[in-house]
Amino acid sequence: MNDVLYFNGRWTNTGERLLGVEDRGFQFGDAIYEVFKFLQRRPIFLADHYRRMDHGLREIDIPNPWSEDDFSAIIDELLGRTQFADGIVYVQVSRGESERTHFYPQGMKPTALAYTRSFRFPDAARKERGIRVVTTPDLRWKHCDVKSVNLLPNALAKKRAQSAKAEEALLVDDGIVREGASSSFFAVRGGRVITHPLDEHILPGVVRDRVIGLAIGAKIRVDERPLRETELLVLDEAFITSTTMGVMPVTELDGRVIGNSRGGEITNRLQQLFDALELSEVSAAHGPIA
Ligand code: PLP
């Protein structure tokens, strides 16, 4: 369904065809993106997403078109104009448009856009049921901390998962479990939560960071360390995190049932804490939800 679109300083609709064929985002994947959630037209963890976008733009030498205040004002207007109460905002900034050549000229004007989409976030039944996951080789580049639009390896991994009747692919590189194709991955063993440390092999997930904070606050021990693929055979619990899925139990991994095919105790606790945190973001902006 078409909805409001901000494109390079003007307001239009996603039905309008706007992008030049020589935009470098289109031809070179020379762009970064962000996805964040909104509930009751309030953005969730907006500052975290802005920070990550700013970091990504710096890393690939694209000037950020927005100060944090400008960005926040545009998002406010976008969420004032959208027809949806809840959904996601997709933001993309490319280096811009110029005659196709690998060398990019200095002083290009970035192509900056943001639009809303409706989204069916998982309901209580789905959150309890969890998801199936399969492992697959990580074929991505060596700078996965940048949220670049080069998502072909992720899309192929997802398709593999779908063919195996799973919902997420777990990317394994050099015997190490990195993360999901579009999510962060957590294992639970002996009462401890284990997740990959922040480095060039994974995206610094906004939800990952919040969930680690919640776990520490709840006195659950968190080990940020590489997890060997062989450790997947001896897990007590596992879950993924992402903006669209929140905290989602992994109940089957490469065809093996984990736990009792429902989320385990620690996963469920973190899921509840995270759901409450998201709602508190909305009520902090709004006053309590009726
Ligand atoms: N890792 C990858 C590769 C992703 O694409 C995503 C989300 O799209 C995540 C992790 C989760 O990040 P976030 O929690 O910020 O949504």
Side-chain angles (χ1 to χ4, degrees), residues 33-35 49 52 140 147 151 154 179-184 203-208 241-244:
Y33 75 106
E34 269 303 323
V35 175
H49 288 277
R52 182 169 67 188
R140 298 174 303 165
K147 201 166 168 62
L151 290 173
N154 310 57
E179 61 180 334
S182 62
S183 61
S184 311
L203 183 78
V206 167
V207 182
R208 174 193 178 280
T241 64
S242 76
T243 293
T244 51

Short mmCIF file of all heavy atoms in Angstrom, two decimals, residues 33-35 49 52 140 147 151 154 179-184 203-208 241-244, ligand 1:
data_model
loop_
_atom_site.label_atom_id
_atom_site.label_comp_id
_atom_site.label_asym_id
_atom_site.label_seq_id
_atom_site.Cartn_x
_atom_site.Cartn_y
_atom_site.Cartn_z
N TYR A 33 21.29 2.04 5.04
CA TYR A 33 19.86 2.14 5.34
C TYR A 33 19.63 1.92 6.83
O TYR A 33 20.53 1.45 7.55
CB TYR A 33 19.04 1.15 4.51
CG TYR A 33 19.13 -0.28 4.96
CD1 TYR A 33 18.06 -0.90 5.63
CD2 TYR A 33 20.28 -1.04 4.77
CE1 TYR A 33 18.13 -2.21 6.07
CE2 TYR A 33 20.36 -2.35 5.21
CZ TYR A 33 19.29 -2.93 5.85
OH TYR A 33 19.37 -4.23 6.29
N GLU A 34 18.45 2.26 7.27
CA GLU A 34 18.01 2.01 8.64
C GLU A 34 16.56 1.57 8.59
O GLU A 34 15.81 1.96 7.68
CB GLU A 34 18.08 3.28 9.50
CG GLU A 34 19.37 3.51 10.23
CD GLU A 34 19.77 2.37 11.16
OE1 GLU A 34 18.90 1.75 11.81
OE2 GLU A 34 20.97 2.10 11.22
N VAL A 35 16.18 0.77 9.56
CA VAL A 35 14.76 0.43 9.73
C VAL A 35 14.44 0.59 11.21
O VAL A 35 15.14 0.02 12.05
CB VAL A 35 14.49 -1.04 9.32
CG1 VAL A 35 13.03 -1.42 9.63
CG2 VAL A 35 14.79 -1.27 7.84
N HIS A 49 19.07 4.53 16.36
CA HIS A 49 19.13 4.31 14.90
C HIS A 49 19.88 5.45 14.22
O HIS A 49 20.64 5.22 13.27
CB HIS A 49 17.71 4.15 14.33
CG HIS A 49 17.09 2.83 14.71
ND1 HIS A 49 17.34 1.67 14.02
CD2 HIS A 49 16.29 2.49 15.74
CE1 HIS A 49 16.69 0.67 14.59
NE2 HIS A 49 16.04 1.14 15.63
N ARG A 52 23.61 4.88 14.71
CA ARG A 52 24.16 3.81 13.86
C ARG A 52 24.27 4.28 12.41
O ARG A 52 25.24 3.99 11.72
CB ARG A 52 23.30 2.55 13.96
CG ARG A 52 23.86 1.41 13.13
CD ARG A 52 23.17 0.09 13.43
NE ARG A 52 21.79 0.10 13.01
CZ ARG A 52 20.92 -0.86 13.29
NH1 ARG A 52 21.28 -1.92 13.99
NH2 ARG A 52 19.66 -0.80 12.85
N ARG A 140 28.99 -12.71 3.40
CA ARG A 140 28.98 -11.24 3.34
C ARG A 140 30.39 -10.63 3.31
O ARG A 140 31.36 -11.32 3.53
CB ARG A 140 28.20 -10.69 4.54
CG ARG A 140 26.76 -11.13 4.57
CD ARG A 140 26.08 -10.70 5.84
NE ARG A 140 26.76 -11.20 7.02
CZ ARG A 140 26.56 -10.76 8.25
NH1 ARG A 140 25.69 -9.80 8.45
NH2 ARG A 140 27.21 -11.27 9.27
N LYS A 147 25.58 -0.84 8.01
CA LYS A 147 24.29 -1.34 7.51
C LYS A 147 24.13 -0.95 6.05
O LYS A 147 23.34 -0.08 5.69
CB LYS A 147 23.16 -0.78 8.39
CG LYS A 147 21.87 -1.60 8.33
CD LYS A 147 20.95 -1.19 9.45
CE LYS A 147 19.54 -1.72 9.32
NZ LYS A 147 19.40 -3.16 9.33
N LEU A 151 22.66 -6.38 0.20
CA LEU A 151 22.03 -7.44 0.98
C LEU A 151 21.87 -8.75 0.21
O LEU A 151 21.12 -9.62 0.63
CB LEU A 151 20.67 -6.96 1.50
CG LEU A 151 20.75 -5.88 2.58
CD1 LEU A 151 19.37 -5.33 2.92
CD2 LEU A 151 21.41 -6.41 3.85
N ASN A 154 22.54 -11.85 2.24
CA ASN A 154 21.48 -12.01 3.24
C ASN A 154 20.21 -12.55 2.58
O ASN A 154 19.53 -13.43 3.12
CB ASN A 154 21.16 -10.67 3.92
CG ASN A 154 22.40 -9.97 4.43
OD1 ASN A 154 23.33 -9.70 3.67
ND2 ASN A 154 22.44 -9.67 5.71
N GLU A 179 25.61 -14.11 13.21
CA GLU A 179 24.30 -13.52 13.52
C GLU A 179 23.30 -14.06 12.51
O GLU A 179 23.66 -14.85 11.63
CB GLU A 179 24.36 -11.99 13.48
CG GLU A 179 24.77 -11.44 12.12
CD GLU A 179 24.82 -9.91 12.09
OE1 GLU A 179 24.13 -9.25 12.87
OE2 GLU A 179 25.57 -9.38 11.24
N GLY A 180 22.04 -13.62 12.61
CA GLY A 180 21.04 -14.02 11.63
C GLY A 180 21.17 -13.17 10.37
O GLY A 180 21.87 -12.14 10.38
N ALA A 181 20.51 -13.59 9.30
CA ALA A 181 20.56 -12.83 8.05
C ALA A 181 19.92 -11.46 8.23
O ALA A 181 20.28 -10.51 7.53
CB ALA A 181 19.88 -13.61 6.93
N SER A 182 18.96 -11.35 9.14
CA SER A 182 18.40 -10.03 9.44
C SER A 182 18.10 -9.91 10.94
O SER A 182 17.10 -9.31 11.33
CB SER A 182 17.13 -9.77 8.62
OG SER A 182 16.15 -10.72 8.94
N SER A 183 18.97 -10.48 11.75
CA SER A 183 18.75 -10.43 13.20
C SER A 183 20.05 -10.72 13.94
O SER A 183 20.99 -11.27 13.37
CB SER A 183 17.71 -11.48 13.61
OG SER A 183 18.15 -12.77 13.28
N SER A 184 20.09 -10.36 15.21
CA SER A 184 21.20 -10.74 16.08
C SER A 184 20.85 -12.09 16.71
O SER A 184 19.66 -12.41 16.87
CB SER A 184 21.37 -9.70 17.19
OG SER A 184 21.40 -8.40 16.65
N LEU A 203 26.36 -6.75 12.65
CA LEU A 203 25.73 -5.43 12.76
C LEU A 203 25.48 -5.14 14.25
O LEU A 203 25.01 -6.03 14.96
CB LEU A 203 24.39 -5.44 12.01
CG LEU A 203 23.68 -4.10 11.99
CD1 LEU A 203 24.33 -3.19 10.94
CD2 LEU A 203 22.20 -4.26 11.69
N PRO A 204 25.79 -3.92 14.71
CA PRO A 204 25.45 -3.60 16.10
C PRO A 204 23.93 -3.40 16.22
O PRO A 204 23.42 -2.30 16.03
CB PRO A 204 26.23 -2.31 16.38
CG PRO A 204 26.51 -1.72 15.04
CD PRO A 204 26.46 -2.81 14.02
N GLY A 205 23.23 -4.47 16.51
CA GLY A 205 21.76 -4.43 16.55
C GLY A 205 21.27 -3.52 17.67
O GLY A 205 21.79 -3.58 18.78
N VAL A 206 20.30 -2.70 17.36
CA VAL A 206 19.74 -1.80 18.38
C VAL A 206 19.05 -2.64 19.46
O VAL A 206 19.21 -2.38 20.66
CB VAL A 206 18.75 -0.80 17.71
CG1 VAL A 206 17.92 -0.08 18.75
CG2 VAL A 206 19.53 0.20 16.85
N VAL A 207 18.33 -3.65 19.03
CA VAL A 207 17.63 -4.49 20.03
C VAL A 207 18.65 -5.32 20.81
O VAL A 207 18.52 -5.49 22.03
CB VAL A 207 16.56 -5.38 19.34
CG1 VAL A 207 15.82 -6.21 20.39
CG2 VAL A 207 15.58 -4.52 18.56
N ARG A 208 19.67 -5.81 20.12
CA ARG A 208 20.75 -6.55 20.80
C ARG A 208 21.27 -5.76 22.00
O ARG A 208 21.38 -6.27 23.11
CB ARG A 208 21.89 -6.81 19.79
CG ARG A 208 23.15 -7.44 20.38
CD ARG A 208 24.32 -7.35 19.38
NE ARG A 208 25.54 -7.91 19.93
CZ ARG A 208 26.35 -7.26 20.78
NH1 ARG A 208 26.06 -6.02 21.17
NH2 ARG A 208 27.43 -7.84 21.25
N THR A 241 17.12 -11.41 17.96
CA THR A 241 16.51 -10.10 18.23
C THR A 241 16.58 -9.24 16.97
O THR A 241 17.55 -9.32 16.21
CB THR A 241 17.23 -9.35 19.37
OG1 THR A 241 18.57 -9.06 18.97
CG2 THR A 241 17.24 -10.12 20.65
N SER A 242 15.55 -8.43 16.77
CA SER A 242 15.57 -7.43 15.70
C SER A 242 14.44 -6.45 15.93
O SER A 242 13.52 -6.70 16.71
CB SER A 242 15.43 -8.08 14.32
OG SER A 242 14.09 -8.45 14.10
N THR A 243 14.53 -5.34 15.20
CA THR A 243 13.52 -4.30 15.30
C THR A 243 12.13 -4.85 15.01
O THR A 243 11.17 -4.50 15.70
CB THR A 243 13.88 -3.18 14.29
OG1 THR A 243 15.09 -2.56 14.75
CG2 THR A 243 12.79 -2.15 14.14
N THR A 244 12.01 -5.68 13.99
CA THR A 244 10.67 -6.16 13.60
C THR A 244 10.21 -7.35 14.43
O THR A 244 9.02 -7.55 14.62
CB THR A 244 10.63 -6.53 12.10
OG1 THR A 244 11.72 -7.40 11.83
CG2 THR A 244 10.70 -5.30 11.23
N1 PLP B 1 21.82 -8.19 12.04
C1 PLP B 1 21.48 -7.98 10.76
C2 PLP B 1 22.35 -8.55 9.68
C3 PLP B 1 20.32 -7.25 10.45
O1 PLP B 1 20.00 -7.03 9.16
C4 PLP B 1 19.51 -6.77 11.49
C5 PLP B 1 18.30 -6.00 11.22
O2 PLP B 1 17.95 -5.73 10.12
C6 PLP B 1 19.90 -7.02 12.82
C7 PLP B 1 21.07 -7.72 13.06
C8 PLP B 1 19.09 -6.52 13.97
O3 PLP B 1 19.29 -5.14 14.14
P1 PLP B 1 18.23 -4.24 14.91
O4 PLP B 1 18.08 -4.84 16.28
O5 PLP B 1 18.85 -2.90 14.95
O6 PLP B 1 16.96 -4.29 14.13
#
